[in-house]
Amino acid sequence: MFLTKQLRLVLQSTIIVAVLAACVGATILYAGVNESGGEFGVFGSPGTGLPGEFGVTYDFITESTVDTFVDTNQINFFRVTFLMERMCPLATGLGSTFNETYFSEYEDAINYITVTKGAYALIDPHNYMRYNDPSSQPNSGSIIGDTTDPNAATTEQFQEFWTELANRFVDNPNVVFGINNEPHDMATSLILQNDQAAINGIRSTGATQLILAPGNGFTGGHSWTQVTGANDDPSSEWLNQIVDPLNNTAIDIHEYLDEDFSGSHDTCTQPGPTNLAALTTWLQENNLKAIVSEFGGSNDPTCLELVPQLINYLSENDVYIGWSAWAAGPFWGTNSPCCGPEVGSLEPGQLDEEGGPNGYTTVWQAVIQPNIDLSDLKRSGVSSLS
C-alpha cells in the first residue's frame, strides 16, 4: 500500500516537530539503520551453513548502500550483525580463537563504515546470548553461562571472546560494542553476569568506546520493569548493577510497535511513549542512557502515526542518545525483515516483488527520514554517551 499525499504531509509535519525537539535537547547522537546479513544461511538442521561462504551464504554490507545512507540521508550509525558460531568455530568453541577469514570480511565492512565513511558502527553478535547452534534462532543453542548445560559456553569464555574482539578494534574510535542481541528466557542475574564479563573483557584491552548492554525479554523497552519468560526477573532489578570503570555503557533497547512487540505485523498498535514510560523513569533514576537499536514499522497508516511518535519521544527525552531501524542488508531482496510480508527491506535500490518501491522508499524515506535535519549528530570523536 502506497502513501497518499495527505498522509505524507501529516507524517512530515510530525517528524519536523521531532527534529526541532531533538535540536533543543540535543539528545540523539546516533541515528541509523541495521545491516543484517552476517547471520544468514544457517536455518535448518544443526550445522547448516557453518562456516558458510561470503557473498553466497552471508554478507555484511553493500558499500553503495552505506554511501547512500551517509551521503544522501546523512545518518551516522550502522548496526552490523554477525554470528558467534562463524567468528568462533564450534571446533574450538567460544573464546579467543577466531575464524580469521570471517573476521577479516567483517572487519572490512566495519572499516568501510567507520574509516572510509566516517560513521559509527555498532558491533552486533546476533546470538540471543546463546552459542553452539543457530539453526533455529532465537530458541536454539545453549545459553551462555548456564552451568546446568554441559554443552554451554561459560561466562569466562564469553569474556575471552569479548577481550579478543575488543582488542582487534581498540584503536577504532568509531566502533560501538554491542554485547549481544536480544537475550531471552534465561535468568536475568545471568544476563548481568555475562554483560559484566563482556564489559570487563572490553575494558581490559584499554578500549574506551561506548558499550551497549542488553536486558532480558528480547531486551524490550516495554517489558523492562516486568517479569518475562518463565518468571524471569525484570531487567530493571539487575541491569542497574552494571559497573563500567569509564562510565561509558548504555542500555540496549528494542521496541517494535505491533500487537505483540515482535515486529512481524504490518499494523502498529503499541504507542511507544506509553510503553517506554517506565523504562524512561528507570533510566532517569539510575542516571543511565539508552539506544533503541531495533525498531520498525510498515507504511500502514497506523505506523505513519506511531513510528514518528516514537522518534519524537526519543528526541524529547535526554536519556535516549540514539536509534537504528531494522533493517537493510545485501541479501534481503524482495523479502521483508520486519513489519509484514509486503514491506520489503530498507536496502536502497531493491524493489518489491511487483517491481515497485521497497521499504527504503515506503518506510525509510516516507516514515523515518523526510525533512529530518541530521546535521547535529555526532560526527567525530570516540563513541560515547555525549
Side-chain angles (χ1 to χ4, degrees), residues 336-349:
S336 299
C338 86
C339 313
E342 299 180 358
V343 177
S345 78
L346 302 182
E347 186 79 359

Side-chain angles (χ1 to χ4, degrees), residues 122-202:
L122 171 54
I123 291 177
D124 171 40
H126 211 75
N127 274 79
Y128 304 88
M129 209 161 270
R130 287 154 168 80
Y131 174 84
N132 69 23
D133 178 17
S135 64
S136 297
Q137 284 188 339
N139 297 312
S140 59
S142 296
I143 295 171
I144 295 170
D146 182 359
T147 57
T148 69
D149 182 353
N151 297 315
T154 66
T155 297
E156 290 74 20
Q157 287 177 281
F158 191 55
Q159 180 166 337
E160 291 174 11
F161 161 76
W162 264 113
T163 302
E164 179 66 23
L165 187 58
N167 192 55
R168 294 179 181 223
F169 288 108
V170 65
D171 294 323
N172 188 334
N174 284 31
V175 159
V176 178
F177 300 115
I179 291 175
N180 222 256
N181 176 67
E182 292 190 349
H184 66 93
D185 295 282
M186 58 188 290
T188 311
S189 59
L190 180 55
I191 294 175
L192 172 65
Q193 291 176 33
N194 290 339
D195 282 353
Q196 189 62 59
I199 293 169
N200 294 346
I202 293 167

